[in-house]
Amino acid sequence: MTDTTIGGLIQGLHHVTLMAKDARRNNRFYTEVLGLRRVKQTVNFDAPDVYHLYYADGAGTPGTVMTFFPFPNIARGTTGVGAASRTSFSVPAGSLAFWRDRLAAEGIEVEDTLRFGEAGIEFAGPDGEGLSLVERADDPREPWTGNGVAADIAIRGFHGITLLLRKAEGISAILQFMGYREGGQDGNITRFVRDGGNGANIIDLEESADAPFTRQGAGSVHHVAFAVENAEAQAKVRDALVALGAQVTPSIDRDYFRAIYFRTPAGVLFEVATNDPGFARDEDPAHLGEALKLPSQHEHLRAILEKQLQPLEDRPLGTSARGDGEDMA
């Protein structure tokens, strides 16, 4: 079923977006504990009183970007079939002992894993989201070290995601169409691999006949985004998906990328996002994520939002992260 022309356009994961409850707690965990860089603080396009927070490597490179919608009054979600159940990050070989100790110091329980010959640890994030760190000896991606985690142990980006499903056939066909190949089986998990991609190249399909269905809430994955180079490549992918029978949205401008969305036969929401223009389009690369950036249609709400949104650090919104009182507009 694979169309190699279309499949070659998909480079791997672009980002994974989850729901959260407390923005400050979320920010602390992903920056101070996991050592990622916050590369953007903006708001939900459809609910501007809710943050959209992005954590990644130093530049927000596609394949490294974890994003969150923190809704203060949201209930805890239920992880189940029909969604991504676990997001995995790539770490250097020999680094798991450091990460076990670091997580234990935060009171976080970890479980050792060995899947497809790869050693890892699994644990839960602040809202119960399923996370894992997997050792990969050959990951050349440059890590972010600005939050105090040394380069020889720091997260490189995504290793992949796990989708929990009743049956894998329908989504297997979609992945093959998108250029993934079946890479083996370990128990009830079938691995799909994007060869020659951006490093975030693993999709694991875990089959479970009796797992509950996902209930969206804090800790649940909202959607999984795949990377393409630009709008031209995205349009080709969209045309191919429509010809396949998928219900695909028009291309939507998300300021830092363009996005199309469609649901797989298993109910998982997939996005295809462009690599350009990137997160430096409205900020100096040296100061990504320091200022509150608003979509143009919500800029008139800045004064209100700066009062309503929970500060992520011990300083009010509207002041500079450098402490010089510079306005964040």
Side-chain angles (χ1 to χ4, degrees), residues 16-21 44 67-71 73-85 127 129 163-164 212-224 263 266-270:
V16 180
T17 294
L18 295 87
M19 316 289 277
K21 184 175 179 66
N44 188 310
T67 98
F68 289 87
F69 298 130
F71 287 86
N73 298 316
I74 197 171
R76 177 67 67 91
T78 298
T79 299
V81 298
S85 59
D127 289 295
E129 61 268 33
L163 306 180
L164 186 59
F213 286 98
T214 292
R215 186 183 73 233
Q216 284 290 318
S220 62
V221 174
H222 185 268
H223 63 267
V224 175
R263 286 206 180 271
V268 184
L269 182 60
F270 277 2

Side-chain angles (χ1 to χ4, degrees), residues 6-14 61-64 136 138-141 156-160 178-181 192-203 226-229 275:
I6 299 304
L9 298 174
I10 301 289
Q11 300 174 347
L13 295 176
H14 186 286
T61 307
T64 74
R136 183 186 286 179
D138 58 350
D139 193 333
R141 292 176 290 178
R156 265 48 186 170
F158 291 132
H159 173 267
M178 292 169 64
Y180 286 77
R181 65 169 176 83
F192 284 82
V193 181
R194 169 64 173 94
D195 293 319
N198 62 9
N201 58 348
I202 301 294
I203 307 293
F226 296 84
V228 292
E229 189 62 33
N275 291 345

Side-chain angles (χ1 to χ4, degrees), residues 1-267:
M1 183 175 183
T2 302
D3 180 323
T4 54
T5 302
I6 299 304
L9 298 174
I10 301 289
Q11 300 174 347
L13 295 176
H14 186 286
H15 64 269
V16 180
T17 294
L18 295 87
M19 316 289 277
K21 184 175 179 66
D22 186 273
R24 189 164 183 159
R25 182 177 63 174
N26 178 268
N27 178 75
R28 179 187 176 277
F29 179 79
Y30 284 93
T31 59
E32 296 182 23
V33 179
L34 292 190
L36 301 177
R37 185 183 193 187
R38 189 182 70 230
V39 294
K40 195 64 58 181
Q41 55 172 315
T42 183
V43 296
N44 188 310
F45 271 73
D46 301 316
D49 59 336
V50 174
Y51 276 120
H52 194 175
L53 302 176
Y54 294 76
Y55 310 102
D57 67 357
T61 307
T64 74
V65 186
M66 190 91 154
T67 98
F68 289 87
F69 298 130
F71 287 86
N73 298 316
I74 197 171
R76 177 67 67 91
T78 298
T79 299
V81 298
S85 59
R86 186 167 302 278
T87 305
S88 301
F89 295 96
S90 170
V91 295
S95 66
L96 288 181
F98 166 85
W99 287 107
R100 287 190 197 96
D101 291 345
R102 187 175 181 88
L103 292 167
E106 294 288 329
I108 298 170
E109 296 182 0
V110 303
E111 179 181 348
D112 290 341
T113 61
L114 183 65
R115 294 199 179 100
F116 297 95
E118 298 172 324
I121 54 174
E122 292 183 349
F123 54 97
D127 289 295
E129 61 268 33
L131 302 171
S132 66
L133 302 177
V134 179
E135 288 190 338
R136 183 186 286 179
D138 58 350
D139 193 333
R141 292 176 290 178
E142 291 292 325
W144 170 248
T145 58
N147 287 331
V149 180
D152 61 344
I153 50 180
I155 288 172
R156 265 48 186 170
F158 291 132
H159 173 267
I161 57 164
T162 300
L163 306 180
L164 186 59
L165 310 163
R166 291 283 171 87
K167 292 185 179 294
E169 288 89 348
I171 205 162
S172 297
I174 289 288
L175 291 174
Q176 290 171 334
F177 183 76
M178 292 169 64
Y180 286 77
R181 65 169 176 83
E182 187 171 333
Q185 191 152 358
D186 190 335
N188 64 333
I189 300 175
T190 304
R191 172 157 291 184
F192 284 82
V193 181
R194 169 64 173 94
D195 293 319
N198 62 9
N201 58 348
I202 301 294
I203 307 293
D204 285 339
L205 305 185
E206 181 177 2
E207 291 186 298
S208 176
D210 55 3
F213 286 98
T214 292
R215 186 183 73 233
Q216 284 290 318
S220 62
V221 174
H222 185 268
H223 63 267
V224 175
F226 296 84
V228 292
E229 189 62 33
N230 51 35
E232 180 182 2
Q234 184 188 73
K236 291 179 180 178
V237 171
R238 185 183 187 279
D239 288 347
L241 289 168
V242 170
L244 194 67
Q247 301 296 311
V248 189
T249 70
S251 183
I252 302 170
D253 186 355
R254 295 304 194 194
D255 283 351
Y256 311 107
F257 48 85
R258 297 194 66 87
I260 59 174
Y261 304 87
F262 67 99
R263 286 206 180 271
T264 69

Side-chain angles (χ1 to χ4, degrees), residues 285-308:
H287 297 288
L288 291 179
E290 294 180 6
L292 177 64
K293 294 297 181 180
L294 298 178
S296 57
Q297 65 267 38
H298 298 317
E299 186 60 48
H300 68 287
L301 299 173
R302 176 172 291 277
I304 296 172
L305 294 176
E306 287 180 351
K307 291 179 180 178
Q308 290 183 345

